[in-house]
Amino acid sequence: IDSSARSGHSLVTWLLFPVVMVVLFSLYSTASIEVEWVQTARFRDGTKVLMQQKPMLSMESMKEFPSERTLTVDRTRTYQEILGFGGAFTEASAINWRELSYRNQEKVINLYFSSPEEGGHGYTLGRVPIDSCDFSPASYSFDDANGDIDLKHFDDSAAHDVDVGMIPLIQAAQKKILARGYKLTLYASPWSPPAWMKLAVDHTGSILLPASTQSMLLSAAPNGLMPSMQRVWAKYFSRFITAYRKHGIDLWGVTVQNEPEASVGWEAMLWTPQFMASFVKDHLGPVLEEEQPGVKIIGFDHNKDHVYTWAKALYEDKDAAKYFAGIGVHWYGGLNTGNLEHTHNLDPTKLILGTEACNCGGVVYEDASFVDGVLSKGDFLSTWWTRAEALALDILEDLRFWAVGWTDWNLMLSTTGGPNHLKNLCDANIIVDPNNTLGTGDQLILQASFYYMGHFSRYLPPGSKRVNLVNSVEIEVPPLEPSDVRNSQALFFAPCDGNDVQKWQLNEKGSLVIPGTDESYSSDGYQQGGECMEHIMPEIPWLPGKLHVFACSHSTNQEWTVRTVPGGSQISKRDEPLCLTTIATDGGAVGLDRGVKVIAAQLRPCFPAGTANQTFCLSNYDGQGFPHNFPVRTLAASTGGGELCLQPQIVRMPHFDAVAFETPDKSISLIAMNIGDQPVEFSLVDSSAQAGISKLTIPSHAIHTYRWKPTDTGDAKDVSKEKSHEATDKGESAMEMLASASDSGVSNVGRRPVGVSVDIPHDRGSPNAAIFTAAIRLASSGSSSRAGTEYAAVGGAACAAAMLVALLVSGLKLVSGRARRAQMLSLISGGNTTVPATDAWEACECASDYREYYGYDYGATTATQ
């Protein structure tokens, strides 16, 4: 072949080479990303699916992101790291576990603690009471010897917890967790110290206890612990930790006190934030630091409505704050996400951990309920499902606002919601029925909440990090609606806000109905005449006169008389001298935590006409509304004051929300919930991958978990850290090789066209960053004196050459995704500042990518960095 032919051949080769490379690159970068997803949903026809694996979805390349009704995942911003999910190893749980056959005992352990691949929830987090709590058959402590300040009689064998099955249950769980390569993160919480450590209480009203007594069930206010017992109590914590360690169980941490604001009849002890801070600073902190190094101390451990106040007080004294690893929160006081945000901002180094949540007021099944001591058969699907939704939404919102984990209350309970020695009966994810009480033929009943929990615990293993998620689907929390009204919701008085569940109708049969509940599919009053105010009969001994809403049956318990009295109107039970009354009490009266103060609606003997707490305004502010659409509003002189309106106890919650995490294997897990009555359409976008799915639909009353593994290297900084030493050395040698081939006229390397910002690896030690830098220098060299049409040719050849060198010299995989291609091209054009950017893009046949990125600033570092 003569020289001219060789010259022509070389020219053709170099002209074709960039085109071939770009075509290959384009084919690879537009590959779709597979998305697996799981659905739990309740449908209008009464059917349901529970953690059902759905057909695979595909994320496709997107040149433009939808601007509305979109969930946009941004993996470049990460937040807190997951500690784990789990539940409490209470005495009640252990007793119920031991009632099962050996096969079903193993089944429970597998359901909770096995890996998701084996059908388990992947639990790694647990809580255990120090001494008794309400979910014990009776009160007990590890040292009942009165005045034993040296703890000579402390039971270092933890015999009680062994004998009742608590320690064997923990050991079985721990064994399963260790077998799959994790460890059990277990923390302990006291409800009360032994009675002899507490201040005596004047309790003259009790029929069970003498007038002045020390009791595990009572607490002096504002602080229940004798000041002289602080060091003894701190030593008690340490001895408990050691006792458990003797059984092969290492405690990760302790909370100072379960629910320090509540003393409501079971084991309890009150604290002020200041007293807790001083106790930790002077006693518990130093003792554990010396005797139990590494064991963490968690403060507060109560409802989120007061968490910020407590955190501020606990962290204010730096000598106390240094001992606190963070704050524990319960769910009973509402979502209170703003309080979580403020708490985090007080000290971002401190963790927030969900330490307790459950639905109380008995157990609700699909076709039965055991509430207030009464077993009822019927269709309870809506209430059964709503309970699960409420818990799951609490998990989701806690995670959105800095929680590192979430702990369910009892791992398992009986069909009645116990045992509980104070009859504070509650629900659990797993109900144990060894005697086939409910007639299902199965010893284990998995509640809807079990499946909702799995959408989080199975897909967010320890080490997962929350990533930024922009939600433009639901901007504001919707107001309460008739569809939110369910059977057995207790009635109470809340601030009047004009929402639909504060409106009533007095129908021709004398029933008080919430308008719209007959037409709302999700309400239990749907096509039943609506939801009516009802007097619970037979009465609950500890809650006489309790009122709630229930599907209208127009029974005598739902018939009322309204009469005019001085100052307003009085509502009484028909043909009985019992009147609607405002009662200041604790949250237990309406299904909330007893540490919450509420104004309950209850029946009491009718007082003289016009008595303030039995007199109400039954009209709107314009004087209209009665009897078809009116509020039941309190007077200023009433208990709790004026401007409170009668409504069911419902928490106002978002209907749609989502949270996303990057898991340790670099996959993305996104959990989305819809608790509304209508399906929600939305788009799902991974901004780093420049890919997404349009028009996804989540049905009403459903939860979806989406999981995908990005093929782009937007998360390269994390991947490179796993191979930091080997990969970085390789990258640097390649950079040196390429740099030596470049001329010295490259002082402008790394500059970008004005207005362009690209997302490149932030870790300068990563091989990608090193290769890109070297490739840019090669692409930039020798071009500064060229002009006219040569710009495009040089830009195109440089682009392709840089790609090839990066691949061949470094052994780097084909960089995938439209985003990475745009990064490389933008960097190349930026380094070659005398080449018009548009010509360089056209030469690489990537003009669309340039336009896609031009003018957008993703907040990334500059090419020079």
Side-chain angles (χ1 to χ4, degrees):
I1 304 174
D2 61 22
S3 58
S4 61
R6 284 197 300 270
S7 176
H9 180 268
S10 299
L11 180 61
V12 171
T13 299
W14 282 103
L15 287 174
L16 289 177
F17 179 72
V19 178
V20 173
M21 286 298 296
V22 168
V23 170
L24 291 174
F25 206 73
S26 298
L27 288 173
Y28 187 81
S29 65
T30 56
S32 60
I33 302 172
E34 290 189 331
V35 180
E36 61 178 271
W37 64 296
V38 177
Q39 181 185 67
T40 294
R42 172 174 70 89
F43 301 107
R44 283 180 176 257
D45 61 2
T47 61
K48 61 187 184 301
V49 295
L50 303 170
M51 293 205 74
Q52 184 182 72
Q53 192 78 39
K54 306 296 286 185
M56 198 76 74
L57 301 170
S58 292
M59 276 190 178
E60 305 296 341
S61 175
M62 280 188 170
K63 291 187 176 182
E64 293 184 4
F65 298 157
S67 58
E68 296 180 348
R69 304 193 66 78
T70 302
L71 296 177
T72 304
V73 176
D74 175 10
R75 289 182 273 117
T76 66
R77 297 169 63 189
T78 61
Y79 304 96
Q80 79 274 19
E81 184 174 302
I82 287 294
L83 179 68
F85 296 89
F89 297 91
T90 58
E91 186 173 2
S93 295
I95 289 170
N96 282 294
W97 184 60
R98 286 209 159 169
E99 289 289 317
L100 296 169
S101 65
Y102 175 77
R103 182 179 65 85
N104 279 320
Q105 286 182 4
E106 283 294 302
K107 185 175 180 179
V108 168
I109 296 299
N110 287 328
L111 284 169
Y112 275 138
F113 303 103
S114 288
S115 68
E117 292 77 16
E118 298 172 315
H121 268 11
Y123 276 12
T124 59
L125 184 65
R127 185 188 191 206
V128 62
I130 298 175
D131 297 342
S132 60
C133 67
D134 52 323
F135 280 92
S136 301
S139 297
Y140 71 88
S141 80
F142 277 30
D143 189 343
D144 289 327
N146 191 30
D148 183 19
I149 60 174
D150 295 323
L151 301 180
K152 293 179 179 179
H153 300 279
F154 186 94
D155 181 12
D156 292 307
S157 69
H160 173 276
D161 291 8
V162 173
D163 294 342
V164 301
M166 293 167 67
I167 284 179
L169 176 58
I170 294 170
Q171 289 170 329
Q174 183 171 260
K175 182 179 179 181
K176 183 65 67 174
I177 293 169
L178 289 171
R180 56 189 180 88
Y182 289 93
K183 65 178 181 179
L184 173 63
T185 301
L186 183 68
Y187 61 97
S189 302
W191 271 243
S192 171
W196 53 269
M197 293 189 192
K198 299 173 71 175
L199 292 167
V201 179
D202 182 9
H203 195 70
T204 56
S206 173
I207 61 173
L208 301 174
L209 300 165
S212 182
T213 185
Q214 291 175 300
S215 170
M216 292 183 72
L217 305 183
L218 300 173
S219 176
N223 297 298
L225 183 66
M226 294 173 63
S228 62
M229 291 294 174
Q230 291 183 84
R231 180 60 58 143
V232 181
W233 185 221
K235 289 281 190 178
Y236 196 103
F237 274 83
S238 181
R239 291 284 287 273
F240 182 89
I241 294 167
T242 299
Y244 262 59
R245 187 178 295 120
K246 290 178 180 178
H247 293 279
I249 300 169
D250 288 321
L251 288 175
W252 167 83
V254 296
T255 71
V256 183
Q257 171 67 44
N258 174 75
E259 300 189 346
E261 294 185 317
S263 179
V264 290
W266 52 76
E267 288 83 349
M269 187 162 71
L270 296 173
W271 297 71
T272 63
Q274 293 74 22
F275 187 47
M276 182 178 286
S278 66
F279 169 69
V280 169
K281 178 178 71 173
D282 298 330
H283 300 284
L284 186 60
V287 167
L288 294 190
E289 185 177 52
E290 178 182 353
E291 300 179 5
Q292 309 292 347
V295 173
K296 293 174 171 53
I297 299 175
I298 306 298
F300 190 45
D301 199 15
H302 206 167
N303 297 336
K304 288 171 280 189
D305 50 354
H306 295 161
V307 61
Y308 176 67
T309 301
W310 273 76
K312 192 173 182 180
L314 297 182
Y315 298 164
E316 199 168 39
D317 185 337
K318 298 305 178 185
D319 291 331
K322 68 181 182 181
Y323 290 115
F324 286 104
I327 290 287
V329 293
H330 295 192
W331 90 309
Y332 306 103
L335 296 176
N336 292 290
T337 53
N339 288 346
L340 293 179
E341 180 76 9
H342 294 321
T343 298
H344 168 78
N345 289 336
L346 281 174
D347 187 343
T349 68
K350 307 292 189 185
L351 61 81
I352 298 174
L353 177 64
T355 49
E356 185 182 312
C358 71
N359 287 291
C360 290
V363 185
V364 176
Y365 307 94
E366 288 186 73
D367 56 0
S369 73
F370 195 99
V371 177
D372 296 326
V374 178
L375 177 64
S376 304
K377 291 286 188 177
D379 182 6
F380 292 91
L381 176 63
S382 178
T383 305
W384 183 67
W385 202 266
T386 300
R387 285 187 160 198
E389 287 181 328
L391 286 170
L393 188 62
D394 186 78
I395 301 173
L396 191 150
E397 297 302 330
D398 278 4
L399 294 177
R400 286 187 61 230
F401 290 90
W402 304 104
V404 299
W406 199 88
T407 320
D408 192 23
W409 190 204
N410 301 274
L411 286 168
M412 64 205 93
L413 290 173
S414 69
T415 54
T416 60
N420 183 295
H421 69 110
L422 273 302
K423 307 302 179 186
N424 180 35
L425 303 174
C426 298
D427 219 327
N429 285 341
I430 295 180
I431 299 297
V432 171
D433 188 10
N435 301 316
N436 198 27
T437 303
L438 298 176
T440 65
D442 197 332
Q443 288 192 350
L444 299 178
I445 299 168
L446 305 185
Q447 298 286 63
S449 58
F450 173 85
Y451 298 98
Y452 267 82
M453 182 71 164
H455 278 266
F456 298 91
S457 64
R458 292 188 179 207
Y459 297 95
L460 303 178
S464 300
K465 291 184 178 180
R466 181 166 64 92
V467 296
N468 192 49
L469 179 67
V470 179
N471 178 357
S472 63
V473 181
E474 182 178 277
I475 307 301
E476 296 181 355
V477 176
L480 293 177
E481 299 174 346
S483 59
D484 298 314
V485 183
R486 311 284 198 280
N487 285 345
S488 302
Q489 290 171 339
L491 289 171
F492 80 128
F493 289 90
C496 299
D497 59 13
N499 71 67
D500 289 344
V501 302
Q502 291 183 348
K503 298 296 178 64
W504 296 87
Q505 178 186 76
L506 181 66
N507 66 21
E508 67 281 359
K509 296 181 180 180
S511 293
L512 285 166
V513 188
I514 297 179
T517 50
D518 182 53
E519 295 83 24
S520 298
Y521 160 72
S522 292
S523 172
D524 290 332
Y526 178 62
Q527 296 183 348
Q528 303 292 318
E531 288 281 308
C532 285
M533 184 166 81
E534 180 178 86
H535 178 205
I536 297 177
M537 293 295 289
E539 288 203 329
I540 307 163
W542 56 91
L543 280 177
K546 182 176 180 180
L547 296 170
H548 68 183
V549 289
F550 213 86
C552 297
S553 62
H554 308 298
S555 64
T556 56
N557 293 338
Q558 294 182 350
E559 294 180 352
W560 308 94
T561 298
V562 176
R563 67 190 184 103
T564 301
V565 297
S569 299
Q570 186 182 70
I571 300 174
S572 62
K573 192 173 180 182
R574 181 172 290 181
D575 301 327
E576 291 189 47
L578 296 173
C579 286
L580 176 66
T581 310
T582 58
I583 302 291
T585 183
D586 62 70
V590 296
L592 295 172
D593 183 73
R594 292 194 176 181
V596 178
K597 303 303 180 185
V598 299
I599 304 298
Q602 296 180 359
L603 288 185
R604 290 290 188 271
C606 295
F607 301 138
T611 302
N613 66 340
Q614 291 185 344
T615 304
F616 305 93
C617 177
L618 304 186
S619 63
N620 298 313
Y621 291 105
D622 61 1
Q624 306 297 310
F626 185 83
H628 301 295
N629 193 25
F630 61 92
V632 178
R633 192 166 65 249
T634 60
L635 305 182
S638 177
T639 303
E643 298 305 312
L644 299 178
C645 287
L646 182 68
Q647 70 166 71
Q649 195 290 107
I650 311 171
V651 178
R652 185 183 176 196
M653 298 183 293
H655 285 183
F656 178 90
D657 215 341
V659 68
F661 281 78
E662 182 181 71
T663 61
D665 70 350
K666 306 305 173 186
S667 296
I668 300 298
S669 291
L670 183 147
I671 300 100
M673 280 187 65
N674 177 19
I675 67 172
D677 277 348
Q678 301 299 323
V680 173
E681 284 193 357
F682 65 98
S683 298
L684 177 59
V685 169
D686 184 329
S687 63
S688 299
Q690 292 290 290
I693 308 173
S694 299
K695 294 185 179 178
L696 288 171
T697 300
I698 183 169
S700 60
H701 301 287
I703 181 170
H704 289 178
T705 297
Y706 301 94
R707 189 172 186 272
W708 67 93
K709 194 158 189 177
T711 56
D712 71 292
T713 50
D715 55 351
K717 67 173 185 280
D718 292 324
V719 173
S720 67
K721 288 178 182 178
E722 296 178 4
K723 304 178 180 179
S724 56
H725 302 296
E726 178 182 349
T728 301
D729 291 343
K730 189 173 184 180
E732 287 172 351
S733 63
M735 182 179 69
E736 291 168 1
M737 183 191 307
L738 288 172
S740 65
S742 303
D743 65 17
S744 58
V746 289
S747 60
N748 290 326
V749 169
R751 296 185 184 174
R752 299 166 295 162
V754 175
V756 177
S757 179
V758 292
D759 190 6
I760 66 169
H762 291 203
D763 180 1
R764 281 191 278 178
S766 73
N768 288 5
I771 292 299
F772 286 157
T773 302
I776 293 163
R777 293 181 64 184
L778 178 63
S780 304
S781 63
S783 62
S784 59
S785 63
R786 290 174 175 83
T789 56
E790 292 181 10
Y791 291 155
V794 171
C799 176
M803 291 180 188
L804 179 64
V805 171
L807 293 173
L808 299 183
V809 177
S810 73
L812 195 66
K813 291 194 306 181
L814 260 174
V815 279
S816 62
R818 187 178 292 269
R820 180 65 65 182
R821 181 177 55 178
Q823 290 168 6
M824 181 177 283
L825 296 177
S826 185
L827 287 168
I828 290 167
S829 66
N832 209 340
T833 54
T834 59
V835 177
T838 51
D839 290 343
W841 292 111
E842 293 292 348
C844 279
E845 298 186 359
C846 296
S848 61
D849 287 327
Y850 173 76
R851 286 192 294 270
E852 183 178 341
Y853 275 87
Y854 192 88
Y856 287 84
D857 190 329
Y858 292 95
T861 56
T862 65
T864 301
Q865 291 173 309

